[in-house]
Amino acid sequence: MTKVTMTVNGKSVSKEVRGNMLMTEFLRDELHLTGTHVGCDTSQCGACNIHVNGENVKGCTIFAAECDGAEVGTIEGQANADGSLNAIQQAFQDHHGLQCGFCTPGMVMSAASLLKENPKPTEAEIRHYLEGNICRCTGYHNIVKAIMAASGQDVSSIAAE
Amino acid sequence: MYSFDVVRPKSVADAVAALGEEEAQALGGGQTLIPSLKQRLAMPSVLVSLASIDEIKGVSSEGGAVKIGGGTTHGAVAREVASSYPALAAMASNIGDPAVRNRGTVGGSLANNDPAACYPAAALASGATIVTNTREIAADDYFQGMFTTALEEGEIITAVSFPIPEKAAYIKFEQPASRFALVGVFVAKFGDGVRVAVTGASEEGVFRWTEAEAALSGDFSAAALDGLSVPADGLMTDLHGSAAYRAHLIGVLTKRAVAQA
Amino acid sequence: MPKDHGIGAAQKRREDVRFLTGAGQYTDDINVYGQTYCHFLRSDVAHGKIASIDTSAAAAMPGVVRIFTGTDFEGVGGLPCGWQVTDKNGDPMKEPPHPVLAQGKVRHVGEPICAVVAETLEQARDAAEAIELEIEELPAVVDMKAALEGGAAKVHDDLSDNLCYDWQFGSETAAVEAAFASAAHVTTLELVNNRLVANPMEPRVAVAEYARANDESTLYTTSQNPHVIRLLMGAFVLGIPEHKLRVVAPDVGGGFGTKIFHYAEEAFVTFAARQINRPVKWTSTRSEAFMSDAHGRDHVTKIELALDAENNFIGLRTDTLANMGAYLSTFASSVPTWLHGTLMAGNYKTPAIQVNVKAVFTNTVPVDAYRGAGRPEATFQLERLVDKAARELGVDPIKLRRQNFIESFPYATPVAVEYDTGDYVATMDKLEEMIDIPGFAARRAESEAKGKLRGLGVNCYIEACGIAPSNLVGQLGARAGLYDAATVRVNATGSISVMVGAHSHGQGHETAFPQVVADMLGIDESMIEIVHGDTSKIPFGMGTYGSRSLAVCGSAMVRATEKIINKAKKIAAHLMEASEGDIELQDGMFTVAGTDKSVAWGDVTLAAYVPHNYPLTEIEPGLEETAFYDPANFTYPAGAYACEVEVDPETGKVTIERFAAADDFGNVVNPMIVEGQVHGGLAQGIGQALLENCVYDADGQLLSASYMDYAMPRAGDVPFYKVDHSCATPCTHNPLGVKGCGEAGAIGSPPAVVNAVLDALNNAGHNVAHIDMPVSPHRVWQAMQG
C-alpha cells in the first residue's frame, strides 16, 4: 500500500492505495465518484476519460499511484459553481447529445479538452478528436453538433432539410 | 491484475536501480502494458514508472537531428517537433487517440515494438539512434522482430535521436478496430538517399523496403515505384487483411507518402 | 410554430442532467453492505468434456468465501427459452438444457464453469487460477453448413443432430413454384448477414442480496425488462416465488436487445447470495462481454426473386441457415422465424412468398435479438436482391421498387401479417428530394476528379413493432404475453407518478411519456414523473425491446390516464354540483359546459384524497388507475433510405459521404428523441455494413474478442445524417397512432450502404454482383481484383 495525495475537483484527498489500483477504481470505490465509467479493458472506449494535470487521459489506464500530487478533474466537477450545467453540458442537453448516458462523462471530459486546445474546431477536427470515445447510442451526430454549439458555432443548418 | 507495487523514481539512476529488483518491470505511459496487466498476461512484483523522470522528457535539436526524450509523450512530440520535423509530428498526432497520446511515450512504444505501431517505422526510416542508459543503438540494429528489440533487461530508453530528412511523410492505413496500422509506410529522403520503413505488415515487425529505397534514391517520385512490389510471403494475414492485400497497400501507401513528402 | 408542450414538442430530456453531471446510477454504481465479488472461470475451449474439477486448493486461498460448480446446480432449473417454434413437420423445436454453470460438457468459449465468490475481486481471480480443471477437448462445430452434415460433432449429445428446427412459412410450395416457372427473369443471391456483438457501452452487471429475515431476494441487474427477468429466473431457474423476488434495473447504459435476455450470471448471483447469506456482485469486463453477451444476426441465406416480363415481382423464395449458438437464449428461436419471415414481403406486393429457415446449434456464444432482430436480416436480403435484379434487368432500382410498391391499405401479405397503414410512395418521394438525386451526377464527377469512385444506394424497409396480440403470439409459440402496463398515481396535490412496465435505457421515456399525460390532462410536464425499472414499484410489464415502448406501454398509459380523467370528472361534477356529462377538461381546469363554473385540477385531486366533500357512496376515494394494454396488431413503420459513398479504388476504403432517411413512424411525441433514435440506428447499421464482424476460427476460438479486433463505429466513420419523419400515416389501432422508431435506422441502413458501394464499383466497370458485410477495404479491394 502506498499513500497518495491528490486534488480531485478542487478538493485535496489522501488515501492508502494498492499499487495496482487504477484511477477508475480510486475514484469510484475510494471516493465514491461513480460518474467515471468503465466500458472496456483495452483502453479504447473513453467512458473513463478524466483530466490529470489538465490533460485528457483514460482513467482506466493510469494507476492512482501515478497521480500522486496531481490535479484531477472528473465529470462531477464540471458543472458551474452554482450547480448549473456548464456550456458543454448544456449544449449536450440542448442538442440531445446523449441517450443512455454511459459514455457521456467521457465525452464531456474529452470535449472540454478539445475546446481548450482548439476553441473553434471544425466538424472533421471534432470527429478526429473523438476517436477514443465510443458511443453506441447517438450515432455521434448530436454529439458533434453539441460540441460545435458549445464552441459558439451556428449549428442551425446542420443536416437541415 | 496481480498485485504489485508502483515506484516513481525521479532519476534514470534510481530507475535503473529499481529495475534491478526481482520481477521489476518498467512502466512508460502504460497504454499497452496496463491493458495486458488487466488480462493478467504479466506478473511483475514492482512497476517502475518512468513518468517522473524529467531528464528523459522533452525535445532538443542537435546538429540536424531532433533528440526526443524517451519519456516524452506522443502528444508532446506532436506539438514540439511540428516545425523541426513535421512528418514525425504528424505521425505522433495520429497515434491512438488524444487520451492515449497524453500518456503513451516514444520510449514505451519503441521498447514494446508492436508490429503495428507507428514509431518503429519513423525510427527506422529516419535512421534514428536509440539512446539508452548504457549505450546508443542504431535503428537498423535495434528492431529484431515482432515485440523483440536489442534492449537488455533493465535497460531504459532515455532518448531517441531522429536525423531530420529533407523530405518525409508517413501514411497510415488504419486497422478499423484498433486504429493501429494495418500498414504504415514512412518515407524519408536524405541527402545521401531515401529510407522507406514499413510497419503493420510483416510477421517480423517493422522492415525497410530496400527496392523502393533504391528506386527513390535515384528519382524521388511516385512514378519511380511503378512496377515495384513487396512479395506477400512473410506478411501477416488476419481478420482485417490478407498478406496479398498488405503487400498491395505497401505499394499504394509508399507512393502516397512520396507524393505527400 | 414548433410546439413547446405536450405531444409533438421537442422537449429537452430531463434525465440528461444526472447523466451529464455524473449522478446517474448504473448497476455497477450500486454496492451493498457486506458485498462479496464473483469471478467466473470460463471455458477457453469451444467444445469439451469436463473430466475433472478440483477446487480444494482454490477454496483455501485467501478471501475465498465459496466456490460453485455445475454440481451445485443439480436439481436447479436451467435458463429457459421464451418461444417454442414448431418445425415444418409439426414437431417442437429441440430445446436442450441450458445450465447456469456447465454440467458435464462445455459448448462454447466463455461458458461459465465455476464461480468463485471472494471478499475482493482480485482474490476471486487468484483463486480461479488455482482451480484444477481438466477438459478433454472435442471437435468443435462452427460453420453452420458443416454442422448439419452427417457425421458432424454434436453440440448436444442427447439430440439427434445440430438442427434445432426446420421452419417453413408463407405461400404453398406449389404457388411459389408456379410463379418461378412462369417468370421472365429470376434473380438469385447468396449472402451472409454477419454476426454482430451488440456492445452497449455499459457492460452487464448483477448484484444480488438476500434478506434472511423475510426470505426475500433482490437482484440489481442491467436489464431492459426487470419483470421478465423476475418471471424467468424466479419461476424457471431458482424456484423463488415472485413475491419474494425483487428485480431492479436502474439506469442502464444501453441495451440494443442484448439486455433483454435472462443470463446465467444474474441467476448465479441471486442463487449464491441465498447460499452464502451475503450480497454477491459480478461486473462484466468488456472481454467477458464479447464471449458471454448474446450475439446478433449470423444468417446465411439464398434468396430468389421471380419477375414477369413487365418486371413485376411475382414470387420470392428464401432459404436461410440461422445460427443459434450453443444454447437457446431467451428469444433466440423467434428471431429468424416470426420476426424475420413475417417481414419478407417488404414494401412490395409480391403475391407468392415462401420462407425456409433452418436453425442450427454450433459451438459459439448463443445468438439472439440485436436491434431490429430478424427484420434487418429480412430487409438486407430483400433489398440487396431487388437491387441486383435492377442491375441485371438494366432498370432504375428506384423505379423497380416504385413499380412494385404496395399502395392500398390495409394489405394482407402472403407471410401472415396485415399492414394497417403506410405510404411508400411518399417516403420515396421525400427521400429523392433529401438526397438530391439530380445533383448526383455532378457529385460523382467531383469524386472522379479526385480519383475516387462514387456510388448511390437506395432501399426501402418495413418493420413490425410492438409484437402482439398476446393470443396470436401464443399460437405462434410465445410463452409470454406481449401486453404492457401502466399505473397513473395522482397525488393529493396534483402531481403524478406514472409507473410503467417499459424500461428506459437511452430512449428518453422520462421525458417523452410525461408529454403524453400532460397533453391529455392539460397540466405541466414538470408535475409528472415516470417510475420504471423496479418490480416492487411498477405493475407487471414486459419491458422495452422491439420498438414497443410507446406503442404498447404508452397506450396502456393513455388508457390509465383516460380512467383518471373519467373519475376526476365525476369528482369535479360533484364539486360543482353539475352533471358528469357536462364536465369538460381543458388546460388543467374542469368546467361545466356552457357556464363559467370551474374547478382546478388540484382541487379535484385534493378532494380525492381529502374526501370531505365527495360522493363516497358512488366512488372510492383516491385517484390511481392501472391499465394493461394488449395491441390488436403489430405496428408497421416503414421508409426509404439512401446512402452515397466514395470508394478509394486503390485501397478499397469506403467513406460515407451522405446519408438520408425518410421514415414513417406515424405520430411522433418528441421529434428530437425520435431523430436521435434514428441517428443511433443508422450508426449501428453503417457499422454492420462497413466495420463490425464477430468472427470465430475453425476451432471455435473467438477472434474478434475485444475492441482491438471488433471495429465499433467511431465519430470519424459516420457523417451528419439527414432524417425526416414527416410522411406520417398514423397507426390505426393504438390510441396514440404511433408506430415505434427505435430499430428503423439499424434495419434500413445496411442495404443502402452495400448498394451504394456496388453502384460505385459497377459504374467504374467492375462487374461485382455482391460483397458480404462488412464491406471492408480488404473485401472491396478483393472484389475489384475480379
Side-chain angles (χ1 to χ4, degrees):
Chain A
M1 301 288 271
T2 325
K3 185 170 182 183
V4 297
T5 301
M6 65 184 89
T7 306
V8 178
N9 298 329
K11 265 169 55 181
S12 178
V13 295
S14 266
K15 294 268 180 185
E16 291 280 331
V17 301
R18 308 182 315 269
N20 64 4
M21 180 175 278
L22 297 165
M23 271 305 282
T24 40
E25 298 170 296
F26 181 72
L27 293 168
R28 293 177 54 80
D29 299 341
E30 299 293 321
L31 304 185
H32 310 295
L33 294 173
T34 54
T36 301
H37 297 151
V38 180
C40 78
D41 43 14
T42 50
S43 197
Q44 282 175 311
C45 80
C48 63
N49 279 18
I50 56 172
H51 296 160
V52 175
N53 293 327
E55 288 196 320
N56 187 19
V57 306
K58 293 196 156 146
C60 78
T61 317
I62 183 169
F63 293 111
E66 294 181 277
C67 295
D68 187 30
E71 292 269 350
V72 174
T74 74
I75 189 65
E76 287 90 348
Q78 292 294 297
N80 296 323
D82 65 357
S84 61
L85 299 180
N86 75 12
I88 293 169
Q89 292 168 318
Q90 189 60 56
F92 269 69
Q93 186 185 33
D94 290 346
H95 298 282
H96 191 27
L98 64 152
Q99 291 181 24
C100 82
F102 196 80
C103 77
T104 307
M107 285 286 176
V108 169
M109 299 309 281
S110 275
S113 289
L114 167 62
L115 296 186
K116 198 173 86 175
E117 289 168 27
N118 182 356
K120 283 255 185 301
T122 63
E123 179 199 343
E125 286 169 340
I126 294 170
R127 290 186 186 276
H128 181 63
Y129 194 90
L130 294 182
E131 190 163 8
N133 289 88
I134 302 177
C135 169
R136 194 54 152 170
C137 293
T138 64
Y140 302 100
H141 183 109
N142 285 336
I143 291 176
V144 177
K145 192 173 171 184
I147 295 173
M148 292 177 84
S151 70
Q153 303 183 60
D154 178 10
V155 295
S156 57
S157 66
I158 287 173
E161 307 279 325
Chain B
M1 280 178 275
Y2 295 111
S3 65
F4 48 77
D5 291 323
V6 173
V7 296
R8 305 171 77 202
K10 295 225 170 352
S11 70
V12 171
D14 288 351
V16 169
L19 285 169
E21 298 290 315
E22 194 82 3
E23 301 298 336
Q25 193 171 348
L27 172 66
Q31 303 302 290
T32 301
L33 179 58
I34 294 176
S36 69
L37 290 168
K38 290 181 192 173
Q39 302 293 334
R40 294 192 158 202
L41 299 175
M43 205 195 299
S45 63
V46 59
L47 286 184
V48 181
S49 166
L50 307 180
S52 302
I53 307 174
D54 288 338
E55 62 186 288
I56 62 166
K57 289 185 192 171
V59 173
S60 59
S61 289
E62 46 169 37
V66 284
K67 188 171 184 182
I68 302 174
T72 312
T73 63
H74 310 322
V77 172
R79 289 187 296 274
E80 292 176 31
V81 306
S83 56
S84 57
Y85 194 166
L88 186 64
M91 180 222 69
S93 71
N94 276 304
I95 296 173
D97 60 59
V100 166
R101 292 195 287 275
N102 283 334
R103 294 294 299 166
T105 64
V106 181
S109 174
L110 291 177
N112 188 47
N113 191 21
D114 186 300
C118 298
Y119 261 112
L124 192 59
S126 303
T129 301
I130 287 86
V131 183
T132 75
N133 54 312
T134 59
R135 57 185 171 144
E136 297 193 348
I137 312 167
D140 285 320
D141 302 324
Y142 176 82
F143 299 103
Q144 301 189 346
M146 193 183 278
F147 298 110
T148 310
T149 70
L151 290 179
E152 303 285 344
E153 193 118 327
E155 197 173 0
I156 295 170
I157 297 175
T158 56
V160 185
S161 181
F162 291 87
I164 300 174
E166 292 168 9
K167 289 178 168 183
Y170 175 66
I171 308 277
K172 171 165 71 165
F173 192 82
E174 286 180 351
Q175 192 260 54
S178 69
R179 311 286 166 135
F180 274 69
L182 186 71
V183 174
V185 178
F186 202 114
V187 171
K189 178 180 187 293
F190 292 92
D192 59 353
V194 175
R195 292 170 67 102
V196 177
V198 180
T199 189
S202 169
E203 290 168 355
E204 301 298 317
V206 68
F207 69 94
R208 285 173 65 184
W209 185 13
T210 49
E211 291 82 356
E213 292 181 350
L216 291 169
S217 295
D219 171 14
F220 192 73
S221 74
L225 296 164
D226 285 344
L228 291 187
S229 62
V230 174
D233 290 350
L235 299 188
M236 288 189 279
T237 290
D238 61 19
L239 284 183
H240 307 284
S242 65
Y245 181 55
R246 281 184 160 89
H248 166 77
L249 281 180
I250 292 169
V252 171
L253 303 185
T254 306
K255 283 187 178 180
R256 289 185 181 182
V258 170
Q260 187 181 306
Chain C
M1 205 31 208
K3 288 185 74 175
D4 63 357
H5 169 85
I7 293 172
Q11 288 199 343
K12 308 297 173 221
R13 298 200 324 168
R14 55 176 78 177
E15 47 269 75
D16 288 0
V17 175
R18 70 175 186 271
F19 296 141
L20 283 161
T21 54
Q25 194 183 44
Y26 299 88
T27 310
D28 196 37
D29 303 338
I30 294 171
N31 294 293
V32 185
Y33 179 74
Q35 171 177 296
T36 61
Y37 295 82
C38 165
H39 176 75
F40 291 97
L41 177 63
R42 295 178 183 277
S43 178
D44 58 5
V45 301
H47 193 192
K49 182 172 174 295
I50 301 172
S52 65
I53 304 174
D54 181 353
T55 60
S56 52
M61 301 269 290
V64 173
V65 177
R66 194 166 153 188
I67 298 176
F68 294 81
T69 68
T71 317
D72 293 287
F73 284 83
E74 281 169 10
V76 176
L79 303 168
C81 179
W83 202 299
Q84 166 73 64
V85 168
T86 303
D87 196 284
K88 68 181 181 190
N89 304 316
D91 300 326
M93 68 183 187
K94 289 170 199 152
E95 209 171 346
H98 186 179
V100 173
L101 295 178
Q103 292 180 352
K105 261 176 83 168
V106 288
R107 296 183 175 86
H108 68 85
V109 167
E111 180 169 2
I113 302 168
C114 304
V116 182
V117 177
E119 300 293 341
T120 73
L121 180 59
E122 294 303 337
Q123 286 173 333
R125 290 186 68 179
D126 288 342
E129 288 182 3
I131 293 173
E132 289 178 31
L133 174 67
E134 241 184 280
I135 294 183
E136 289 165 14
E137 212 172 328
L138 297 167
V141 283
V142 178
D143 177 76
M144 286 192 278
K145 281 180 188 153
L148 293 181
E149 280 166 13
K154 285 196 289 183
V155 178
H156 296 278
D157 300 341
D158 295 343
L159 303 183
S160 52
D161 53 31
N162 294 313
L163 181 67
C164 176
Y165 56 74
D166 184 354
W167 185 76
Q168 189 174 72
F169 181 63
S171 308
E172 294 297 328
T173 303
V176 176
E177 281 177 356
F180 276 85
S182 70
H185 183 84
V186 172
T187 294
T188 303
L189 183 57
E190 292 187 45
L191 49 77
V192 172
N193 202 289
N194 42 327
R195 181 184 273 242
L196 302 177
V197 183
N199 273 305
M201 292 319 298
E202 177 202 31
R204 288 188 295 119
V205 181
V207 186
E209 58 179 327
Y210 175 60
R212 184 182 272 180
N214 52 10
D215 190 33
E216 274 183 20
S217 289
T218 301
L219 170 68
Y220 303 91
T221 187
T222 48
S223 175
Q224 300 175 216
N225 30 236
H227 269 300
V228 173
I229 302 305
R230 190 183 72 167
L231 179 66
L232 295 178
M233 184 173 78
F236 295 95
V237 187
L238 301 181
I240 304 171
E242 284 164 283
H243 64 285
K244 293 293 185 190
L245 180 57
R246 174 182 172 211
V247 177
V248 183
D251 286 330
V252 171
F256 313 114
T258 205
K259 290 177 182 167
I260 298 171
F261 322 123
H262 178 39
Y263 285 99
E265 294 87 355
E266 53 198 358
F268 174 77
V269 295
T270 308
F271 176 83
R274 294 170 76 92
Q275 298 289 310
I276 66 169
N277 198 27
R278 281 181 65 182
V280 181
K281 181 172 190 172
W282 170 73
T283 300
S284 176
T285 63
R286 181 61 58 188
S287 299
E288 270 184 297
F290 270 99
M291 55 182 168
S292 65
D293 289 4
H295 294 172
R297 315 281 193 259
D298 204 351
H299 287 192
V300 176
T301 294
K302 181 183 178 191
I303 180 167
E304 299 166 282
L305 176 66
L307 300 97
D308 69 14
E310 283 77 49
N311 296 339
N312 296 310
F313 302 166
I314 56 172
L316 184 75
R317 180 158 67 193
T318 78
D319 214 332
T320 288
L321 297 180
N323 205 334
M324 294 288 102
Y327 298 100
L328 288 176
S329 174
T330 311
F331 289 112
S333 49
S334 66
V335 174
T337 50
W338 301 107
L339 297 178
H340 163 252
T342 50
L343 275 298
M344 274 322 306
N347 310 58
Y348 311 111
K349 50 191 181 210
T350 316
I353 301 173
Q354 190 180 73
V355 181
N356 292 277
V357 178
K358 289 189 176 78
V360 186
F361 291 113
T362 60
N363 291 113
T364 62
V365 170
V367 180
D368 205 328
Y370 165 58
R371 200 173 195 166
R375 292 152 288 179
E377 295 90 321
T379 303
F380 184 71
Q381 50 183 291
L382 180 60
E383 293 295 324
R384 278 290 305 116
L385 183 72
V386 171
D387 233 55
K388 185 165 185 270
R391 183 162 293 118
E392 288 172 358
L393 294 164
V395 299
D396 177 65
I398 295 178
K399 193 166 160 261
L400 182 62
R401 288 180 168 88
R402 285 180 177 274
Q403 177 184 340
N404 286 284
F405 274 161
I406 296 161
E407 292 192 48
S408 72
F409 296 88
Y411 177 83
T413 72
V415 277
V417 291
E418 183 176 286
Y419 302 162
D420 59 343
T421 58
D423 189 345
Y424 309 145
V425 173
T427 47
M428 185 58 88
D429 288 347
K430 186 74 198 173
L431 181 79
E432 290 198 35
E433 173 197 322
M434 290 166 78
I435 200 78
D436 178 27
I437 294 215
F440 176 69
R443 295 193 296 276
R444 173 172 267 170
E446 238 173 80
S447 296
E448 284 168 354
K450 294 185 295 179
K452 300 282 171 61
L453 316 179
R454 198 173 186 107
L456 171 65
V458 169
N459 66 273
C460 302
Y461 80 90
I462 178 123
E463 68 157 322
C465 302
I467 175 170
S470 293
N471 53 7
L472 172 69
V473 298
Q475 288 168 27
L476 304 184
R479 289 166 168 159
L482 286 167
Y483 49 84
D484 219 294
T487 297
V488 176
R489 177 181 295 160
V490 182
N491 300 308
T493 58
S495 70
I496 298 174
S497 298
V498 185
M499 281 69 80
V500 294
H503 187 278
S504 188
H505 35 277
Q507 295 86 345
H509 297 171
E510 292 172 38
T511 300
F513 281 18
Q515 290 179 241
V516 173
V517 177
D519 205 275
M520 292 176 72
L521 298 177
I523 63 174
D524 195 79
E525 278 90 352
S526 64
M527 293 172 69
I528 304 161
E529 184 146 289
I530 299 300
V531 178
H532 68 96
D534 184 340
T535 58
S536 70
K537 293 182 179 171
I538 61 172
F540 190 100
M542 297 305 291
T544 287
Y545 42 83
S547 309
R548 71 194 299 274
S549 299
L550 194 59
V552 186
C553 188
S555 296
M557 186 174 68
V558 169
R559 292 280 187 257
T561 306
E562 285 168 355
K563 293 186 194 178
I564 292 287
I565 292 170
N566 287 340
K567 184 169 178 183
K569 280 184 174 174
K570 288 191 172 74
I571 301 168
H574 177 87
L575 292 177
M576 293 187 282
E577 297 174 334
S579 157
E580 189 194 327
D582 293 337
I583 305 295
E584 291 173 351
L585 170 62
Q586 197 165 13
D587 296 334
M589 293 295 284
F590 294 89
T591 54
V592 181
T595 74
D596 60 357
K597 282 206 265 184
S598 70
V599 287
W601 169 251
D603 298 329
V604 171
T605 63
L606 190 65
Y609 288 93
V610 187
H612 296 166
N613 175 17
Y614 196 85
L616 283 169
T617 53
E618 291 159 41
I619 52 175
E620 296 168 1
L623 198 51
E624 173 171 327
E625 298 288 351
T626 294
F628 284 71
Y629 180 83
D630 203 283
N633 189 357
F634 296 169
T635 65
Y636 298 95
Y641 285 15
C643 176
E644 248 178 70
V645 298
E646 257 187 9
V647 179
D648 180 337
E650 291 185 322
T651 63
K653 187 170 169 61
V654 175
T655 47
I656 308 249
E657 298 297 317
R658 306 167 121 218
F659 203 104
D663 292 294
D664 172 3
F665 296 133
N667 293 333
V668 162
V669 170
N670 185 321
M672 178 192 82
I673 290 174
V674 165
E675 286 168 18
Q677 290 293 306
V678 176
H679 295 160
L682 293 178
Q684 289 184 353
I686 290 169
Q688 169 165 31
L690 291 184
L691 296 164
E692 300 179 39
N693 203 15
C694 181
V695 183
Y696 283 91
D697 72 9
D699 298 324
Q701 290 295 327
L702 182 58
L703 299 179
S704 49
S706 78
Y707 291 154
M708 295 297 280
D709 282 300
Y710 188 90
M712 292 285 280
R714 313 219 189 179
D717 296 318
V718 291
F720 280 131
Y721 320 98
K722 275 191 174 188
V723 300
D724 177 90
H725 47 80
S726 65
C727 305
T729 61
C731 171
T732 58
H733 56 80
N734 67 42
L736 289 165
V738 297
K739 294 184 175 180
C741 65
E743 297 162 295
I747 294 169
S749 52
V753 177
V754 180
N755 288 346
V757 173
L758 290 166
D759 179 53
L761 297 185
N762 281 277
N763 180 66
H766 299 282
N767 186 17
V768 180
H770 178 69
I771 305 176
D772 274 325
M773 300 186 291
V775 182
S776 65
H778 183 207
R779 286 180 174 175
V780 174
W781 175 77
Q782 276 180 321
M784 286 191 297
Q785 305 311 300

